[in-house]
Amino acid sequence: MKVITKEHVTHILSRDNKPCEAIKSGELAVFETYDCFTNRFIPEGTDYYNTPKMPGNPATGPLYIEGALPGDMLKIDILDIETGPTGIVMLGPNSGNEREFFEKRVIKRVPVKDGFAWYGNRIAIPVRPMIGVIGVAPEGEGVSTITPLDHGGNMDCTQIRKGVSLYLPVFAEGALLSMGDFHAVMGEGEIEDCGLEIEGKATIRATAVKDFYVPWPLIDTGDKWITIASKETVDLAYQAAARQMYTFLTEKAGMKEEDAAMLMTMTGDLIICQTVNPTMTVRMEFPKRILWEYNKKA
Ligand code: CA
Ligand code: CA
């Protein structure tokens, strides 16, 4: 299996990035990743002020997927996520909803062991490992790994986790998949700018899908479809996430317009992924069971 080591980092997702590895469509690959601080706070005694500054959100990659062409979807099956033993959470004057209360940047190292993060070595938090940054080369100019848009990127969605399939639209030949910014656990909304930031390793299968296309990210969790939108404001993002689900249900899943809207308002969940990046991310979740029932009846 191809392994992409974490030294192959980029801070921009771009069609100009040179692939560091290639696989055939349908093959597996492993991505090793730094945490979003390039592991700079993992050693005991380090803090924001006594370590060299580094750009945030290094992403490992890109991986070239043979056969993936613009107009395809890239299906990324997330088969496994492993995380390191030390997570980092940071607060600071320029980040998060409570920013005015913190004049200095403060970090905390949180040990992760046997499925729990141990805050203050006292409070046990069950981990829910997720991939914060995952994206393909965008259409047009490169985009920072800080900013999520329709190519993916820094979506900080808790549902990008082991066992799901993420679909991203392909804009460049080979798709050019990169990822990083894993979290051992993160609250919905990521309200103070960090999850529990952690290095890791993800095993994925990447497949070019030819007979299905939507121009934004979509997740299949097995029991739900999830549309993801990243826009300038939370209002714009929620409207787009819901519209994407409506479009998916009516144009791809065979639902009549009024049935889609009625079933969305009764059974769809709108959830804020993150509020701290240059664009805000909201997702809409819709139960697949409703679709099965609907199509059975039709
Ligand atoms: Ca992030
Ligand atoms: Ca992060």
Side-chain angles (χ1 to χ4, degrees):
M1 200 181 338
K2 299 279 173 69
V3 178
I4 307 170
T5 56
K6 59 177 180 277
E7 291 72 31
H8 296 283
V9 296
T10 180
H11 296 86
I12 292 179
L13 302 187
S14 165
R15 60 174 64 238
D16 298 328
N17 287 357
K18 196 172 168 302
C20 54
E21 195 56 87
I23 59 168
K24 291 191 172 66
S25 174
E27 283 186 342
L28 272 55
V30 173
F31 286 74
E32 295 179 356
T33 61
Y34 286 112
D35 68 26
C36 71
F37 308 113
T38 323
N39 290 6
R40 105 188 218 221
F41 302 128
I42 291 178
E44 288 291 336
T46 54
D47 64 29
Y48 183 78
Y49 300 98
N50 71 7
T51 47
K53 293 208 175 24
M54 292 170 128
N57 276 5
T60 302
L63 173 67
Y64 185 101
I65 293 92
E66 289 171 19
L69 295 170
D72 297 345
M73 289 306 270
L74 187 68
K75 181 184 183 210
I76 305 142
D77 303 314
I78 302 175
L79 304 175
D80 196 27
I81 300 177
E82 292 172 51
T83 57
T86 306
I88 307 287
V89 62
M90 183 165 81
L91 294 173
N94 296 314
S95 61
N97 197 56
E98 270 51 59
R99 61 182 65 201
E100 70 268 32
F101 299 110
F102 302 97
E103 284 174 14
K104 290 186 79 175
R105 285 181 187 260
V106 193
I107 67 154
K108 196 180 259 301
R109 271 179 282 281
V110 179
V112 174
K113 204 181 162 199
D114 300 331
F116 291 91
W118 291 90
Y119 185 85
N121 290 316
R122 199 163 63 82
I123 298 172
I125 305 165
V127 296
R128 295 184 298 168
M130 54 168 279
I131 300 174
V133 170
I134 181 165
V136 294
E139 196 169 26
E141 286 196 2
V143 173
S144 160
T145 53
I146 305 288
T147 303
L149 287 169
D150 289 337
H151 68 291
N154 196 13
M155 295 179 283
D156 288 318
C157 172
T158 57
Q159 296 307 299
I160 301 178
R161 56 175 169 81
K162 178 177 174 175
V164 308
S165 299
L166 169 68
Y167 291 82
L168 295 172
V170 177
F171 298 110
E173 195 186 315
L176 302 178
L177 177 68
S178 304
M179 70 181 77
D181 186 34
F182 291 9
H183 301 152
V185 64
M186 187 195 92
E188 301 293 0
E190 202 186 16
I191 196 69
E192 305 299 350
D193 203 28
C194 269
L196 183 57
E197 306 295 332
I198 199 154
E199 62 180 333
K201 198 157 90 166
T203 306
I204 60 105
R205 178 189 292 110
T207 309
V209 176
K210 302 285 177 187
D211 55 358
F212 170 75
Y213 183 81
V214 290
W216 20 258
L218 180 76
I219 299 173
D220 179 357
T221 68
D223 57 1
K224 288 177 208 164
W225 286 108
I226 302 176
T227 50
I228 304 179
S230 300
K231 301 287 176 191
E232 289 72 16
T233 64
V234 169
D235 278 5
L236 289 171
Y238 93 71
Q239 289 158 4
R243 183 58 58 89
Q244 288 169 197
M245 182 59 77
Y246 177 81
T247 303
F248 173 75
L249 293 175
T250 54
E251 293 182 10
K252 304 293 178 187
M255 259 191 196
K256 282 192 186 134
E257 283 81 356
E258 68 177 43
D259 292 332
M262 286 182 179
L263 290 164
M264 273 171 67
T265 204
M266 289 191 289
T267 68
D269 291 325
L270 199 56
I271 299 171
I272 297 174
C273 296
Q274 60 79 22
T275 52
V276 292
N277 298 330
T279 49
M280 308 290 136
T281 305
V282 176
R283 70 178 184 270
M284 178 125 206
E285 303 190 348
F286 188 85
K288 289 173 88 171
R289 189 184 63 80
I290 299 288
L291 259 180
W292 295 328
E293 301 274 323
Y294 184 86
N295 286 327
K296 214 162 45 178
K297 217 186 322 170

